[in-house]
Structures are given as structure tokens and as C-alpha cells.
Amino acid sequence: ILQLLATLLVAWLTRSYWALLVGIAVLRSSRVVMSYVIHPYRPRFSLVGWQDLISFSFWLWLTGLAGMVWAQTDSFVVGPLFGSAALGIYVLAGPVAGLPFSELLDPLNSVLFASFAYAQRGRTSIAVNPLVIAIALTIVMAPMALVISAEAGSMVSLLLGNQWLAAAPLVAVAAWRVVMHPFQVVSRSVLIARGRVQQNFWISLA
């Protein structure tokens, strides 16, 4: 809410893209402040465990790097082979087809990670079964994928306009990718919450 208000206010006052940067800055800073208000833990400067921290961060960085390369590889292939127009259609089809992931599963991932980490530290007696969670999320995502695939033309027309209707067949096919995303997201959250970041990297790389 703070990000939205700040972005709209600066955009109204300046009519500049700087409004987006101000909104991002407000979001990041407000999250830091709220984390101190909500949770009693107070970090302090210490070099205890620095080797574990560096190792953990290094493998997370490698995983992020592998993910970035994977996310951009198809664009480097599609562009030279089929031209910039086809690449534009391809790039636009992805976000439309992945709406259930970006608007539901991705935000939920933060909650899942916190829950798995909480359970890992023995703070709760509730049994957290990642496989059951992944299956339940798949049951929720499958109908969404079906609707997007079946109504790809209408969705593209509504969200992007009729000039992008050529993306509809790609959206219809790509929509089914989200069905398997819960297993990927849940397994990644479990591995990181358990400190198995090296294994998570090799799985992501594969």
C-alpha cells in the first residue's frame, strides 16, 4: 500500500519514471522497518558463523545465476531464428500464461518458505508435509491452467489488445507449465529452509 501511494503521488507530481524508483525504495525501506516492528529478533554485527553464511550465500547466488541464464536462453534462441516480431509475441505470451504463478504461487512461496523454516527449527508440532502441499497447490493450479488455455484468445485480447492475438496459441500451450510449478516451488523452499542450498543449485542447474 505504501509503495502504491508513493508511486502514484510522485507520478502525479513529477510525471516522470522516477515515480517507479521512489515506489521501489519506499517498498524496500518499509519492509525493513516493519520487520523490526513485527519480529523481536534484533541482528547485531558478528563474525560468528561467517563461513556458513558465505557458503549459503554463494550457493544461492549460483542458483539465481543459473535461473537467470535459463530464463533468458529461450529469447536468445527465438530472436535470431524467428525474428524480433516473433520474439515479441513469445515474450508477451509468457507472463499471460504464467498469471497463476506470478499472482498466486509466487507470493505464496514466501509464506511456504517461512513455514518450512519455522518447522525446521522445531518451533511447531504441526507436521508439514511438502508433498501434500505441492499436490494441493497443483489441484488449485490445474483448473486455472485449463481456463487460461481454453480462453487464451479472449485473455490476450482483454489484457494486451487484438493486435497481439498471434500470441494466443503460445499462451494456450504455455499455460500448462504452471501445473508442475508447485512441485518446483515447494521443493526449492524446503531445500533452502533446511540449508541444503548446494543440492538446490545442482537440481536447478539440471
Side-chain angles (χ1 to χ4, degrees):
I1 293 174
L2 291 175
Q3 179 191 21
L4 177 64
L5 293 176
T7 303
L8 291 177
L9 178 62
V10 175
W12 181 68
L13 292 174
T14 66
R15 302 293 198 273
S16 169
Y17 65 87
W18 282 98
L20 297 174
L21 299 178
V22 171
I24 293 172
V26 169
L27 172 66
R28 302 302 182 195
S29 58
S30 61
R31 276 185 172 177
V32 172
V33 172
M34 286 190 293
S35 70
Y36 277 89
V37 173
I38 293 172
H39 201 279
Y41 174 67
R42 294 292 181 267
R44 60 184 174 81
F45 181 76
S46 173
L47 295 179
V48 175
W50 68 271
Q51 291 176 317
D52 292 335
L53 180 61
I54 289 180
S55 175
F56 191 90
S57 301
F58 173 74
W59 288 109
L60 279 184
W61 173 76
L62 276 184
T63 303
L65 185 63
M68 182 185 68
V69 171
W70 170 251
Q72 299 302 323
T73 298
D74 49 358
S75 296
F76 282 101
V77 172
V78 172
L81 285 178
F82 301 101
S84 58
L87 177 60
I89 293 172
Y90 179 84
V91 170
L92 279 174
V96 176
L99 280 174
F101 175 79
S102 60
E103 301 304 317
L104 176 65
L105 193 57
D106 197 29
L108 186 60
N109 182 39
S110 300
V111 180
L112 287 175
F113 175 75
S115 301
F116 292 141
Y118 198 71
Q120 180 68 19
R121 295 174 65 182
R123 297 294 185 85
T124 177
S125 59
I126 300 174
V128 180
N129 190 325
L131 181 59
V132 173
I133 294 174
I135 292 173
L137 288 174
T138 301
I139 292 173
V140 174
M141 301 290 277
M144 296 181 182
L146 175 62
V147 170
I148 292 176
S149 182
E151 295 296 329
S154 301
M155 287 197 64
V156 170
S157 178
L158 178 65
L159 296 175
L160 304 176
N162 291 330
Q163 68 271 25
W164 293 103
L165 280 176
L170 289 175
V171 172
V173 174
W176 290 103
R177 294 184 304 171
V178 301
V179 176
M180 297 307 296
H181 275 164
F183 291 94
Q184 175 187 351
V185 168
V186 171
S187 62
R188 182 173 62 228
S189 295
V190 170
L191 288 172
I192 296 176
R194 294 179 179 177
R196 300 173 65 179
V197 287
Q198 186 173 352
Q199 291 90 333
N200 180 56
F201 165 71
W202 290 115
I203 292 172
S204 299
L205 187 64

